[in-house]
Amino acid sequence: MQAVKEKLKDLNAARKAKAEARAEEKAEKEIADARKNVAHEVRLAKEAEAEMDIHVEKAGKIAEKEISKHASKNPNVGYSNMNTTDHAMLEAANGPASTIN
């Protein structure tokens, strides 16, 4: 009888250990999945930021082209009252400042 009780106790301990291992594995899989999702979103954000920078650069070139086209007809076009320390004016002319390192 004692051997049967001992065997049941061992089976219960093994079942409990397996359940704990499964729970730990599930938690690790969830953490890995969350990290993968975060990395995916970060990649998408970096790609979007790079695309935005390309568009801002193109817009700056178009603006320069238009200003130079009109400047040949009127040398003061686009440059009157332009204060180089006025960040709003610079941003309007060159697009937003990039914070990419």
Side-chain angles (χ1 to χ4, degrees), residues 1-2 8 10 13-14 22 24 33 38 42 50-51 53 56 61-62 70-71 74-75 80 82 86-87 90:
M1 190 67 168
Q2 186 67 25
L8 286 174
D10 289 345
R22 276 191 215 109
E24 187 176 326
D33 191 44
V38 167
V42 167
E51 243 182 270
D53 288 343
V56 167
K61 287 180 182 178
I62 291 170
H70 293 288
N74 185 355
S80 62
M82 185 178 238
D86 184 4
H87 297 291
L90 288 174

Side-chain angles (χ1 to χ4, degrees), residues 4-87:
V4 172
K5 285 184 180 178
E6 193 68 33
K7 183 71 172 180
L8 286 174
K9 189 185 263 187
D10 289 345
L11 287 174
N12 284 335
R15 191 177 319 131
K16 186 176 180 182
K18 283 183 181 180
E20 288 174 356
R22 276 191 215 109
E24 187 176 326
E25 182 182 14
K26 183 179 178 183
E28 288 174 0
K29 283 182 179 179
E30 288 174 355
I31 290 170
D33 191 44
R35 291 180 76 180
K36 183 183 80 169
N37 289 339
V38 167
H40 176 73
E41 291 299 321
V42 167
R43 179 183 61 82
L44 291 177
K46 285 181 180 180
E47 288 175 358
E49 190 172 11
E51 243 182 270
M52 185 182 69
D53 288 343
I54 290 169
H55 288 294
V56 167
E57 187 177 321
K58 283 182 182 179
K61 287 180 182 178
I62 291 170
E64 286 177 17
K65 187 175 171 182
E66 289 298 315
I67 288 172
S68 67
K69 190 184 334 179
H70 293 288
S72 64
K73 295 175 186 172
N74 185 355
N76 294 323
V77 169
Y79 296 104
S80 62
N81 298 326
M82 185 178 238
N83 182 356
T84 57
T85 59
D86 184 4
H87 297 291

